[in-house]
Amino acid sequence: MIDRAHTIRYLESSAIVALLVDAEAAHEAIRALAEQPQRMVTSVITVVECRRALVRAHAQGRIGRVTMDAAQHQFTRLLEQCDLFEVDEIIVDLASESLGDNHLHTLDALHVATAMIARNAFGYLSFVSLDARVRSAAIANGLSVLPAALPPLIPAP
């Protein structure tokens, strides 16, 4: 039996942004992931998505400058613990397919494709996301998702 507490986690941007911008609203499973010592992987696109989400949250007045700077620092520390996957030709080709949802946004398709490649490289992998559409595509492509259920009303990053 697989010990899920020590498996690899693919961190999709929505979960990271929720943790960084609104830790109180972030689901307890997401907060626990940040505290558990396991291997974490993500895509290089996560770097841009999360940094832009922090800049947007500040520009929209949802977070102050001090909070944004602290979140940027926390994000940098989190990235230091992650294996970053580059977007290569294999990931681009896979993301260009339907992936079970013809309405899936481009960056979301890249996340699902990257997680599929990571799962093939490492074995069992859990896909961590708070985005319902991305989670659905991940499940349609055989990925296990965390948290098991979405918390109510997570704001879009």
Side-chain angles (χ1 to χ4, degrees):
M1 181 167 195
I2 296 170
D3 180 2
R4 294 181 190 270
H6 294 83
T7 60
I8 297 170
R9 307 284 197 245
Y10 181 93
L11 304 180
E12 187 266 331
S13 302
S14 65
I16 296 172
V17 171
L19 179 66
L20 296 172
V21 173
D22 194 359
E24 290 180 24
H27 193 275
E28 57 271 2
I30 300 299
R31 285 195 302 273
L33 287 174
E35 299 166 359
Q36 293 178 7
Q38 73 246 332
R39 188 171 196 167
M40 297 179 287
V41 298
T42 194
S43 171
V44 295
I45 65 172
T46 302
V47 177
V48 177
E49 282 186 300
C50 290
R51 287 182 180 158
R52 291 294 311 148
L54 291 173
V55 169
R56 269 194 326 273
H58 175 63
Q60 295 168 350
R62 292 189 296 138
I63 60 173
R65 180 65 183 196
V66 171
T67 301
M68 184 182 78
D69 290 344
Q72 293 273 12
H73 180 71
Q74 184 181 4
F75 179 57
T76 298
R77 287 196 341 251
L78 179 66
L79 282 178
E80 290 169 354
Q81 300 171 38
C82 291
D83 293 320
L84 290 178
F85 273 70
E86 298 289 335
V87 177
D88 62 14
E89 187 176 343
I90 294 169
I91 290 172
V92 168
D93 288 347
L94 188 56
S96 298
E97 297 174 10
S98 165
L99 297 176
D101 183 347
N102 290 327
H103 302 286
L104 195 61
H105 296 142
T106 303
L107 295 179
D108 297 336
L110 287 167
H111 277 295
V112 173
T114 303
M116 292 168 66
I117 296 300
R119 180 195 54 203
N120 291 344
F122 297 121
Y124 185 85
L125 175 140
S126 294
F127 187 84
V128 183
S129 175
L130 295 180
D131 183 304
R133 178 173 277 164
V134 179
R135 289 167 56 89
S136 179
I139 291 167
N141 285 281
L143 295 168
S144 171
V145 298
L146 290 175
L150 284 177
L153 299 174
I154 293 291

PDB file of all heavy atoms in Angstrom, residues 13-36:
ATOM      1  N   SER A  13      -0.847  26.433  -9.232  1.00  0.00           N
ATOM      2  CA  SER A  13      -0.802  27.827  -8.781  1.00  0.00           C
ATOM      3  C   SER A  13      -1.939  28.249  -7.864  1.00  0.00           C
ATOM      4  O   SER A  13      -1.731  29.011  -6.923  1.00  0.00           O
ATOM      5  CB  SER A  13      -0.753  28.762  -9.985  1.00  0.00           C
ATOM      6  OG  SER A  13       0.358  28.471 -10.784  1.00  0.00           O
ATOM      7  N   SER A  14      -3.152  27.780  -8.113  1.00  0.00           N
ATOM      8  CA  SER A  14      -4.289  28.232  -7.297  1.00  0.00           C
ATOM      9  C   SER A  14      -4.107  27.891  -5.831  1.00  0.00           C
ATOM     10  O   SER A  14      -4.471  28.677  -4.945  1.00  0.00           O
ATOM     11  CB  SER A  14      -5.601  27.634  -7.816  1.00  0.00           C
ATOM     12  OG  SER A  14      -5.610  26.218  -7.678  1.00  0.00           O
ATOM     13  N   ALA A  15      -3.526  26.749  -5.549  1.00  0.00           N
ATOM     14  CA  ALA A  15      -3.304  26.348  -4.155  1.00  0.00           C
ATOM     15  C   ALA A  15      -2.223  27.202  -3.505  1.00  0.00           C
ATOM     16  O   ALA A  15      -2.355  27.619  -2.353  1.00  0.00           O
ATOM     17  CB  ALA A  15      -2.921  24.869  -4.100  1.00  0.00           C
ATOM     18  N   ILE A  16      -1.176  27.483  -4.252  1.00  0.00           N
ATOM     19  CA  ILE A  16      -0.081  28.292  -3.710  1.00  0.00           C
ATOM     20  C   ILE A  16      -0.555  29.713  -3.445  1.00  0.00           C
ATOM     21  O   ILE A  16      -0.284  30.284  -2.380  1.00  0.00           O
ATOM     22  CB  ILE A  16       1.126  28.289  -4.669  1.00  0.00           C
ATOM     23  CG1 ILE A  16       1.697  26.873  -4.784  1.00  0.00           C
ATOM     24  CG2 ILE A  16       2.198  29.264  -4.178  1.00  0.00           C
ATOM     25  CD1 ILE A  16       2.765  26.725  -5.850  1.00  0.00           C
ATOM     26  N   VAL A  17      -1.282  30.294  -4.390  1.00  0.00           N
ATOM     27  CA  VAL A  17      -1.759  31.665  -4.226  1.00  0.00           C
ATOM     28  C   VAL A  17      -2.703  31.764  -3.022  1.00  0.00           C
ATOM     29  O   VAL A  17      -2.612  32.704  -2.233  1.00  0.00           O
ATOM     30  CB  VAL A  17      -2.432  32.179  -5.514  1.00  0.00           C
ATOM     31  CG1 VAL A  17      -3.118  33.519  -5.285  1.00  0.00           C
ATOM     32  CG2 VAL A  17      -1.390  32.308  -6.620  1.00  0.00           C
ATOM     33  N   ALA A  18      -3.578  30.795  -2.851  1.00  0.00           N
ATOM     34  CA  ALA A  18      -4.481  30.806  -1.697  1.00  0.00           C
ATOM     35  C   ALA A  18      -3.680  30.776  -0.398  1.00  0.00           C
ATOM     36  O   ALA A  18      -3.989  31.493   0.554  1.00  0.00           O
ATOM     37  CB  ALA A  18      -5.443  29.631  -1.755  1.00  0.00           C
ATOM     38  N   LEU A  19      -2.660  29.973  -0.372  1.00  0.00           N
ATOM     39  CA  LEU A  19      -1.812  29.879   0.815  1.00  0.00           C
ATOM     40  C   LEU A  19      -1.093  31.198   1.083  1.00  0.00           C
ATOM     41  O   LEU A  19      -1.010  31.655   2.222  1.00  0.00           O
ATOM     42  CB  LEU A  19      -0.787  28.753   0.633  1.00  0.00           C
ATOM     43  CG  LEU A  19       0.194  28.538   1.770  1.00  0.00           C
ATOM     44  CD1 LEU A  19      -0.524  28.054   3.011  1.00  0.00           C
ATOM     45  CD2 LEU A  19       1.262  27.547   1.357  1.00  0.00           C
ATOM     46  N   LEU A  20      -0.596  31.834   0.030  1.00  0.00           N
ATOM     47  CA  LEU A  20       0.182  33.064   0.183  1.00  0.00           C
ATOM     48  C   LEU A  20      -0.668  34.300   0.459  1.00  0.00           C
ATOM     49  O   LEU A  20      -0.306  35.138   1.275  1.00  0.00           O
ATOM     50  CB  LEU A  20       1.019  33.317  -1.078  1.00  0.00           C
ATOM     51  CG  LEU A  20       2.090  32.294  -1.407  1.00  0.00           C
ATOM     52  CD1 LEU A  20       2.684  32.593  -2.780  1.00  0.00           C
ATOM     53  CD2 LEU A  20       3.158  32.242  -0.336  1.00  0.00           C
ATOM     54  N   VAL A  21      -1.788  34.428  -0.242  1.00  0.00           N
ATOM     55  CA  VAL A  21      -2.576  35.657  -0.183  1.00  0.00           C
ATOM     56  C   VAL A  21      -3.603  35.635   0.943  1.00  0.00           C
ATOM     57  O   VAL A  21      -3.835  36.644   1.594  1.00  0.00           O
ATOM     58  CB  VAL A  21      -3.277  35.933  -1.531  1.00  0.00           C
ATOM     59  CG1 VAL A  21      -4.234  37.106  -1.442  1.00  0.00           C
ATOM     60  CG2 VAL A  21      -2.233  36.182  -2.604  1.00  0.00           C
ATOM     61  N   ASP A  22      -4.217  34.499   1.157  1.00  0.00           N
ATOM     62  CA  ASP A  22      -5.280  34.436   2.159  1.00  0.00           C
ATOM     63  C   ASP A  22      -5.179  33.124   2.922  1.00  0.00           C
ATOM     64  O   ASP A  22      -6.012  32.242   2.767  1.00  0.00           O
ATOM     65  CB  ASP A  22      -6.642  34.580   1.485  1.00  0.00           C
ATOM     66  CG  ASP A  22      -7.763  34.856   2.488  1.00  0.00           C
ATOM     67  OD1 ASP A  22      -7.481  34.911   3.699  1.00  0.00           O
ATOM     68  OD2 ASP A  22      -8.905  35.007   2.048  1.00  0.00           O
ATOM     69  N   ALA A  23      -4.158  33.023   3.763  1.00  0.00           N
ATOM     70  CA  ALA A  23      -3.919  31.786   4.502  1.00  0.00           C
ATOM     71  C   ALA A  23      -5.117  31.401   5.363  1.00  0.00           C
ATOM     72  O   ALA A  23      -5.361  30.221   5.587  1.00  0.00           O
ATOM     73  CB  ALA A  23      -2.664  31.913   5.355  1.00  0.00           C
ATOM     74  N   GLU A  24      -5.876  32.383   5.842  1.00  0.00           N
ATOM     75  CA  GLU A  24      -7.055  32.072   6.653  1.00  0.00           C
ATOM     76  C   GLU A  24      -8.112  31.359   5.826  1.00  0.00           C
ATOM     77  O   GLU A  24      -8.804  30.477   6.330  1.00  0.00           O
ATOM     78  CB  GLU A  24      -7.633  33.348   7.260  1.00  0.00           C
ATOM     79  CG  GLU A  24      -6.749  33.949   8.332  1.00  0.00           C
ATOM     80  CD  GLU A  24      -7.360  35.211   8.923  1.00  0.00           C
ATOM     81  OE1 GLU A  24      -8.597  35.372   8.853  1.00  0.00           O
ATOM     82  OE2 GLU A  24      -6.593  36.019   9.443  1.00  0.00           O
ATOM     83  N   ALA A  25      -8.259  31.737   4.566  1.00  0.00           N
ATOM     84  CA  ALA A  25      -9.257  31.111   3.708  1.00  0.00           C
ATOM     85  C   ALA A  25      -8.728  29.833   3.067  1.00  0.00           C
ATOM     86  O   ALA A  25      -9.506  29.025   2.579  1.00  0.00           O
ATOM     87  CB  ALA A  25      -9.701  32.074   2.611  1.00  0.00           C
ATOM     88  N   ALA A  26      -7.405  29.672   3.057  1.00  0.00           N
ATOM     89  CA  ALA A  26      -6.828  28.480   2.439  1.00  0.00           C
ATOM     90  C   ALA A  26      -7.290  27.244   3.203  1.00  0.00           C
ATOM     91  O   ALA A  26      -7.345  27.224   4.424  1.00  0.00           O
ATOM     92  CB  ALA A  26      -5.304  28.567   2.434  1.00  0.00           C
ATOM     93  N   HIS A  27      -7.643  26.262   2.470  1.00  0.00           N
ATOM     94  CA  HIS A  27      -8.126  25.014   3.038  1.00  0.00           C
ATOM     95  C   HIS A  27      -7.052  24.412   3.947  1.00  0.00           C
ATOM     96  O   HIS A  27      -5.862  24.499   3.663  1.00  0.00           O
ATOM     97  CB  HIS A  27      -8.463  24.062   1.879  1.00  0.00           C
ATOM     98  CG  HIS A  27      -9.249  22.878   2.267  1.00  0.00           C
ATOM     99  ND1 HIS A  27      -8.678  21.741   2.752  1.00  0.00           N
ATOM    100  CD2 HIS A  27     -10.584  22.650   2.248  1.00  0.00           C
ATOM    101  CE1 HIS A  27      -9.626  20.852   3.000  1.00  0.00           C
ATOM    102  NE2 HIS A  27     -10.786  21.380   2.699  1.00  0.00           N
ATOM    103  N   GLU A  28      -7.488  23.790   5.046  1.00  0.00           N
ATOM    104  CA  GLU A  28      -6.522  23.218   5.992  1.00  0.00           C
ATOM    105  C   GLU A  28      -5.606  22.192   5.342  1.00  0.00           C
ATOM    106  O   GLU A  28      -4.443  22.055   5.721  1.00  0.00           O
ATOM    107  CB  GLU A  28      -7.228  22.614   7.213  1.00  0.00           C
ATOM    108  CG  GLU A  28      -8.242  21.546   6.922  1.00  0.00           C
ATOM    109  CD  GLU A  28      -9.646  22.104   6.679  1.00  0.00           C
ATOM    110  OE1 GLU A  28      -9.854  23.324   6.696  1.00  0.00           O
ATOM    111  OE2 GLU A  28     -10.547  21.287   6.436  1.00  0.00           O
ATOM    112  N   ALA A  29      -6.084  21.501   4.327  1.00  0.00           N
ATOM    113  CA  ALA A  29      -5.229  20.534   3.638  1.00  0.00           C
ATOM    114  C   ALA A  29      -4.090  21.232   2.909  1.00  0.00           C
ATOM    115  O   ALA A  29      -2.974  20.714   2.845  1.00  0.00           O
ATOM    116  CB  ALA A  29      -6.047  19.700   2.655  1.00  0.00           C
ATOM    117  N   ILE A  30      -4.343  22.425   2.367  1.00  0.00           N
ATOM    118  CA  ILE A  30      -3.296  23.171   1.678  1.00  0.00           C
ATOM    119  C   ILE A  30      -2.266  23.661   2.687  1.00  0.00           C
ATOM    120  O   ILE A  30      -1.062  23.562   2.468  1.00  0.00           O
ATOM    121  CB  ILE A  30      -3.890  24.356   0.886  1.00  0.00           C
ATOM    122  CG1 ILE A  30      -4.885  23.854  -0.169  1.00  0.00           C
ATOM    123  CG2 ILE A  30      -2.801  25.200   0.261  1.00  0.00           C
ATOM    124  CD1 ILE A  30      -4.296  22.935  -1.204  1.00  0.00           C
ATOM    125  N   ARG A  31      -2.733  24.180   3.820  1.00  0.00           N
ATOM    126  CA  ARG A  31      -1.795  24.627   4.855  1.00  0.00           C
ATOM    127  C   ARG A  31      -0.948  23.463   5.344  1.00  0.00           C
ATOM    128  O   ARG A  31       0.251  23.606   5.554  1.00  0.00           O
ATOM    129  CB  ARG A  31      -2.554  25.269   6.015  1.00  0.00           C
ATOM    130  CG  ARG A  31      -3.069  26.657   5.691  1.00  0.00           C
ATOM    131  CD  ARG A  31      -3.491  27.393   6.941  1.00  0.00           C
ATOM    132  NE  ARG A  31      -4.519  26.702   7.693  1.00  0.00           N
ATOM    133  CZ  ARG A  31      -5.829  26.823   7.480  1.00  0.00           C
ATOM    134  NH1 ARG A  31      -6.271  27.626   6.532  1.00  0.00           N
ATOM    135  NH2 ARG A  31      -6.690  26.167   8.222  1.00  0.00           N
ATOM    136  N   ALA A  32      -1.550  22.300   5.515  1.00  0.00           N
ATOM    137  CA  ALA A  32      -0.811  21.126   5.984  1.00  0.00           C
ATOM    138  C   ALA A  32       0.267  20.719   4.990  1.00  0.00           C
ATOM    139  O   ALA A  32       1.350  20.287   5.383  1.00  0.00           O
ATOM    140  CB  ALA A  32      -1.771  19.964   6.231  1.00  0.00           C
ATOM    141  N   LEU A  33      -0.009  20.891   3.699  1.00  0.00           N
ATOM    142  CA  LEU A  33       0.985  20.534   2.673  1.00  0.00           C
ATOM    143  C   LEU A  33       2.248  21.364   2.825  1.00  0.00           C
ATOM    144  O   LEU A  33       3.352  20.885   2.602  1.00  0.00           O
ATOM    145  CB  LEU A  33       0.413  20.738   1.273  1.00  0.00           C
ATOM    146  CG  LEU A  33      -0.610  19.720   0.851  1.00  0.00           C
ATOM    147  CD1 LEU A  33      -1.210  20.114  -0.484  1.00  0.00           C
ATOM    148  CD2 LEU A  33      -0.013  18.345   0.770  1.00  0.00           C
ATOM    149  N   ALA A  34       2.081  22.622   3.190  1.00  0.00           N
ATOM    150  CA  ALA A  34       3.233  23.501   3.335  1.00  0.00           C
ATOM    151  C   ALA A  34       4.077  23.121   4.549  1.00  0.00           C
ATOM    152  O   ALA A  34       5.243  23.472   4.627  1.00  0.00           O
ATOM    153  CB  ALA A  34       2.775  24.947   3.449  1.00  0.00           C
ATOM    154  N   GLU A  35       3.483  22.391   5.472  1.00  0.00           N
ATOM    155  CA  GLU A  35       4.191  22.030   6.694  1.00  0.00           C
ATOM    156  C   GLU A  35       4.751  20.614   6.658  1.00  0.00           C
ATOM    157  O   GLU A  35       5.545  20.253   7.513  1.00  0.00           O
ATOM    158  CB  GLU A  35       3.237  22.187   7.886  1.00  0.00           C
ATOM    159  CG  GLU A  35       2.744  23.614   8.063  1.00  0.00           C
ATOM    160  CD  GLU A  35       1.563  23.711   9.014  1.00  0.00           C
ATOM    161  OE1 GLU A  35       1.101  22.684   9.531  1.00  0.00           O
ATOM    162  OE2 GLU A  35       1.105  24.849   9.229  1.00  0.00           O
ATOM    163  N   GLN A  36       4.309  19.804   5.736  1.00  0.00           N
ATOM    164  CA  GLN A  36       4.738  18.408   5.686  1.00  0.00           C
ATOM    165  C   GLN A  36       6.009  18.255   4.860  1.00  0.00           C
ATOM    166  O   GLN A  36       6.120  18.816   3.780  1.00  0.00           O
ATOM    167  CB  GLN A  36       3.648  17.531   5.071  1.00  0.00           C
ATOM    168  CG  GLN A  36       2.410  17.423   5.928  1.00  0.00           C
ATOM    169  CD  GLN A  36       1.339  16.580   5.257  1.00  0.00           C
ATOM    170  OE1 GLN A  36       1.567  15.974   4.217  1.00  0.00           O
ATOM    171  NE2 GLN A  36       0.164  16.550   5.854  1.00  0.00           N
TER     172      GLN A  36
END
